[in-house]
Amino acid sequence: MQGSKSVATVGFFDGVHLGHQDLLQRVRTEAGKMGAKSVVITFAEHPLTVVGGASRKKPLLLCDRRDKEMLLSQQGMDFILMLHFTPELAAITGKDFAQTLHDKCNTTALVMGYDNHFGSKRFSTQEETQAYIDSWAIPVIRHEALYKDDIKVSSSVIRSAVQSGDFAKAWSLLGRPYSVKGIVQHGSKIGRSIEYPTANIEIDPEHELVPAQGIFVSEVIVEGTRYGGMSYYGQRPTLGHDEKARMEVFLFDFSGDLYGKEVEILFYHYLRADIKFYSLDALAEQLRKDEIDSRAFLKNLHAE
């Protein structure tokens, strides 16, 4: 990037959803007009983990740092800069940050999303904010929000959709099925006794968004191969009600050892709530019905 002009954008880009992708396309377009390189600047930590304060709730993330880098790399940007969001960085004003971009990255324009206000300085009116931005060393191009089916595409809307089990809406706004990743751990192996052996997935709910407790139609990617299946997130009330909710998946037509492997669970449909059954036989009977419904859903999904 040294010596080349650049057009940049700055943001956290959680999920790299369709709105983010639209913004990044704008950066590439503006860079092409100016004969410049396209640059996306993002952060390893969510800003609220630094500036939110102890009482402010931190958002659960749609993807982790590794997946965000991978998703951004698919957007055709010339450069991706991943910065650590530190208290020192939080204290920098937008004007000083823009000056740094101008001096060190030869940035000739900055594309900002409709709701992006970076920098430590805050104003009470939009007019004051705009006058301040106009004083920066580089011009700012505002990019309008993207709407899909009259819904504004945003990370917060997608988070709400995932938590409510509306995976079709989340898919529509993300541009892909919502998924989580984790490592398969040893479990109690009770599922084997009712012919539904599940893989217990170790995920970090503090950093990755999980849906509300229930049963879901899913697919599971194991070492590049995709299997249909059912996933479960809950406290297993039939088996004594665990203190902590856990994620489990049952893979259709799979045989093999999954222990220690990373899997990705794709969520397609909220099948039913997690309820307590009076016996393991009753649970097994319900799971057989769930499997029939899940296989039918996946068959219809892939027939479309």
Side-chain angles (χ1 to χ4, degrees), residues 162-224:
V162 170
Q163 290 176 314
S164 67
D166 192 347
F167 300 113
K169 181 177 181 180
W171 186 345
S172 173
L173 303 183
L174 274 172
R176 65 184 186 279
Y178 180 70
S179 67
V180 299
K181 293 180 180 178
I183 304 297
V184 178
Q185 307 286 333
H186 287 277
S188 58
K189 300 180 174 58
I190 293 176
R192 295 181 182 182
S193 67
I194 56 174
E195 300 181 353
Y196 280 92
T198 59
N200 292 269
I201 313 300
E202 182 67 30
I203 61 172
D204 185 354
E206 292 298 319
H207 296 95
E208 199 160 17
L209 181 69
V210 292
Q213 297 186 22
I215 315 295
F216 317 98
V217 181
S218 296
E219 286 185 323
V220 184
I221 300 176
V222 183
E223 297 180 327

Side-chain angles (χ1 to χ4, degrees), residues 29-44:
T29 298
E30 297 296 337
K33 292 178 183 177
M34 302 177 190
K37 299 294 185 181
S38 58
V39 181
V40 54
I41 301 168
T42 189
F43 308 106

Side-chain angles (χ1 to χ4, degrees), residues 21 24-33 38 75-77:
Q21 295 173 34
L24 296 173
Q25 173 62 54
R26 179 70 179 277
V27 176
R28 296 196 303 272
T29 298
E30 297 296 337
K33 292 178 183 177
S38 58
Q75 297 305 308
M77 304 295 287

